[in-house]
């Protein structure tokens, strides 16, 4: 072994022994550090605590902390951001408290939370203000009742208030709504936004026609035009997730998912994309480890620096964790 390669290997092994990233064999006789992962979309459906009406994951079972720790074994998931799971309205506060408990439990990776809140409620500001001093509540995810709501002054004021509290807004809207979503984002330029699940991309929209046996959920060009407009607003980031759940009847492979993923990475750029597991909903297509490894396969030809941003660095900066 050449002296430089030997010293590099020794120094990396020494770093690992004091708690830095574990190592992976990188080929050609060299070792590469296993990229640390921040999961920015960790669903936990603890039916043992909250009852069966809490949510309905695609595979029956209890998806609490214990199950999540088992799912991430060997992946070097160093931190996670809890994502709300559409609890009934009367359980939203309980879910928020649960998320804060998770963040306070140092035995698990959860360090931040995106909770549920109703943008249409009369006392939205009062409800959210109770979390003002919580370092772990990072924002909300909320739905819109109609496309017209995207230009409703009350909705805009509530989303601006999130920005005033340094909180973020996760959204999922149909691609046909993207032009109005861009207007909303522009009107709330002091708030940070996350476009969930590759901006609601349907990977089938990028298949060759002879490969399709079911209609995609949206038009390819409409989605590209819309996400390009979204990405032009600098207060928007994109979560790379959700795609493995949308290929029913098709192989869930890197080849089939790569076009939609690369569009997101290229349009938003290396500094505004973040890995997200969407576990346990990813189980509709594959395990969490399967999704991580599939995404690594898709991005393997991108620089190690950009891979590090996708899986770790951007989430740390964006969520201030």
């Amino acid at each position: 072994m050449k002296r430089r390669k030997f010293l590099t290997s020794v120094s990396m092994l020494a770093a690992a022994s004091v708690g830095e990233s574990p190592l992976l064999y990188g080929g050609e006789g060299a070792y590469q550090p296993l990229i640390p992962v921040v999961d920015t979309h960790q669903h936990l459906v603890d039916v043992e605590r909250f009852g069966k009406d809490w949510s309905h994951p695609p595979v029956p079972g209890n998806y609490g902390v214990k199950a999540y720790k088992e799912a991430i074994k060997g992946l070097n998931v160093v931190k996670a951001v809890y994502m709300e799971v559409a609890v009934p309205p009367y359980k939203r506060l309980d879910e928020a408290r649960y998320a804060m408990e998770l963040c306070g439990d140092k035995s698990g990776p959860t360090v931040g939370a995106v909770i549920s809140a109703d943008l249409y409620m009369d006392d939205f500001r009062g409800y959210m203000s109770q979390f003002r001093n919580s370092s772990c509540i990072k924002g909300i995810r909320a739905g819109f009742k109609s496309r017209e709501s995207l230009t409703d002054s009350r909705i805009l004021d509530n989303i601006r208030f999130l920005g005033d509290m340094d909180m973020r807004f996760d959204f999922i809207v149909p691609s046909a709504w993207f032009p109005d979503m861009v207007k909303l984002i522009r009107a709330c330029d002091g708030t940070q936004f996350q476009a969930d699940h590759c901006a609601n991309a349907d990977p089938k929209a990028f298949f060759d026609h002879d490969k399709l046996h079911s209609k995609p959920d949206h038009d390819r060009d409409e989605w590209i035009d819309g996400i390009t407009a979204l990405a032009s607003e600098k207060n928007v980031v994109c979560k790379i997730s959700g795609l493995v759940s949308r290929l029913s009847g098709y192989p869930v492979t890197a080849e089939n998912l790569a076009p939609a993923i690369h569009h997101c990475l290229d349009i938003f750029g290396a500094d505004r994309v973040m890995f997200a597991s969407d576990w346990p909903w990813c189980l509709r297509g594959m395990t969490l480890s399967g999704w991580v490894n599939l995404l690594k396969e898709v991005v393997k030809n991108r620089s190690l620096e950009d891979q590090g941003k996708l899986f770790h660095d951007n989430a740390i900066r964006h969520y201030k964790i």
Side-chain angles (χ1 to χ4, degrees), residues 4-277:
R4 178 179 295 177
K5 186 176 291 185
F6 170 78
L7 291 175
T8 299
S9 299
V10 169
S11 64
M12 293 181 74
L13 285 167
S17 69
V18 293
E20 294 189 5
S21 300
L23 305 176
L24 267 185
Y25 184 67
E28 299 182 357
Y31 285 91
Q32 296 292 339
L34 179 61
I35 295 173
V37 175
V38 177
D39 182 357
T40 61
H41 211 91
Q42 173 209 45
H43 290 301
L44 294 177
V45 188
D46 195 340
V47 296
E48 291 179 359
R49 172 165 173 166
F50 286 93
K52 292 184 178 180
D53 64 336
W54 195 36
S55 195
H56 301 281
V59 180
N62 189 68
Y63 295 94
V65 176
K66 182 178 179 181
Y68 182 78
K69 288 180 178 179
E70 187 66 27
I72 62 174
K73 278 186 176 179
L75 298 178
N76 200 22
V77 173
V78 295
K79 294 184 179 182
V81 177
Y82 176 89
M83 173 58 63
E84 62 90 19
V85 291
V87 299
Y90 72 93
K91 288 189 176 181
R92 284 178 181 149
L93 186 54
D94 286 342
E95 183 192 22
R97 290 168 176 161
Y98 171 63
M100 289 189 283
E101 287 177 22
L102 292 170
C103 294
D105 182 358
K106 303 308 179 185
S107 69
T110 309
V111 294
V114 175
I115 61 174
S116 177
D118 181 2
L119 286 171
Y120 299 83
M121 68 189 301
D122 291 335
D123 192 25
F124 177 83
R125 290 185 174 223
Y127 180 80
M128 291 306 303
S129 291
Q130 66 187 308
F131 306 112
R132 183 185 292 275
N133 296 321
S134 172
S135 61
C136 71
I137 301 300
K138 301 299 181 180
I140 72 166
R141 181 168 70 167
F144 298 99
K145 295 178 180 178
S146 66
R147 184 171 181 173
E148 289 70 29
S149 296
L150 300 175
T151 54
D152 185 312
S153 60
R154 180 179 58 160
I155 300 300
L156 295 177
D157 284 344
N158 287 341
I159 294 177
R160 291 188 190 108
F161 182 66
L162 292 174
D164 293 342
M165 295 198 302
D166 193 25
M167 290 191 181
R168 296 142 192 82
F169 185 79
D170 277 67
F171 68 91
I172 304 175
V173 297
S175 56
W177 295 15
F178 282 178
D180 287 317
M181 192 68 207
V182 170
K183 293 177 183 177
L184 182 153
I185 291 167
R186 197 169 290 161
C188 303
D189 58 358
T191 303
Q192 295 295 315
F193 292 82
Q194 291 81 234
D196 288 352
H197 305 329
C198 290
N200 211 22
D202 183 349
K204 299 189 297 295
F206 303 91
F207 287 4
D208 292 334
H209 184 74
D210 59 0
K211 192 176 182 179
L212 282 170
H213 54 74
S214 61
K215 186 178 180 180
D217 293 339
H218 59 73
D219 176 76
R220 175 184 181 275
D221 292 337
E222 177 186 60
W223 180 86
I224 291 175
D225 289 344
I227 193 176
T228 300
L230 286 173
S232 70
E233 304 303 317
K234 300 306 181 185
N235 55 327
V236 188
V237 300
C238 182
K239 289 187 178 181
I240 306 302
S241 61
L243 299 178
V244 299
S245 303
R246 303 188 67 165
L247 277 181
S248 178
Y250 297 87
V252 184
T253 62
E255 178 185 5
N256 282 342
L257 297 186
I261 292 171
H262 284 308
H263 272 294
C264 291
L265 299 181
D266 293 340
I267 290 170
F268 276 92
D271 293 321
R272 291 195 290 142
V273 289
M274 302 186 297
F275 165 75
S277 75

